[in-house]
Amino acid sequence: MSMLIDVHTHLDQYANSELPSILERASSVGVGPIVVAGTTIDSSKAIVDLAKHHTRILASVGIHPSEVRSPTSLLSLSELKVIASDPEVIAISEIGLDYPAPEGLQQAQIETFSSQIQLGLELNLPIVYHSRNAYPDTLEVLKAEDAAVVGGIAHYFQGSIETAYQCIDLGFLISLAKPLLYLEELQGVAKEIPLEYIVLETDSYPQPFKKNREKWTEPRLLPEIAQALAQIKNIPVQQVIDITTENALTKLKIKRP
């Protein structure tokens, strides 16, 4: 049986003492490799270190648009390049655009996004991008920077079918997460897109606003998303597992477990 791959999480935000049990719960339901995404220089460094200590954690590094306070300095980009050059790093993530941006920072987000795409091209690393209320600007930046050369993944996708196909045309897979369980419009998009262009994620991070710890999103919930997609497409869940896993392995150039 193929293992599921969680292509986007923030497990670095958990206490180190929690990670072994989180990974064990994921493994017990058939989740194998788990990609952890950076949001700052410091978190990116920490994620590379996690990947060195946990074979199932895969590192992706980047500066999240919500962390952009001003145009990202050449010093920060130089530091990120050093981190991204580590052999543990498989992608540039989590980068992109998040609107509405604070006063005066929309252009800074665009410039930082562009610079990090350029880094992905320079290091031949795929890009996993974030776009909240930011299409079509996101697509314009991806096109302007020739992001299709490396391609990647549209993280936590909730856009229209038209947007989905524009992403696919640029070499990006559509990543589906828990909103697939309850958003009818997203279910319609997922039904239409061929499975060969889909990957799965949980976007796991600590959720202290949920008082019941068992309700926090973890990679162990990935099979629920796979099952929902199987029902939407009226196909066996094993087919969803096999193909989305193969898609992730290929796009992110992950060594087969």
Side-chain angles (χ1 to χ4, degrees), residues 193-199 229 233 235 239-240 243-244 247:
I193 297 169
L195 191 56
E196 287 72 20
Y197 298 117
I198 296 175
V199 288
L229 183 58
K233 288 189 166 293
I235 59 175
Q239 187 177 347
V240 169
I243 295 179
T244 59
N247 296 343

Side-chain angles (χ1 to χ4, degrees), residues 195-247:
L195 191 56
E196 287 72 20
Y197 298 117
I198 296 175
V199 288
L200 306 176
E201 65 166 278
T202 59
D203 198 22
S204 300
Y205 62 96
Q207 295 173 299
F209 54 87
K210 295 180 181 176
K211 293 181 181 178
N212 182 347
R213 174 63 182 82
E214 290 185 7
K215 292 191 179 296
W216 291 17
T217 301
E218 290 186 15
R220 67 180 174 81
L221 298 176
L222 201 62
E224 287 186 26
I225 301 165
Q227 185 64 54
L229 183 58
Q231 289 173 346
I232 289 164
K233 288 189 166 293
N234 195 26
I235 59 175
V237 69
Q238 189 61 49
Q239 187 177 347
V240 169
I241 294 169
D242 290 343
I243 295 179
T244 59
T245 294
E246 185 61 31
N247 296 343

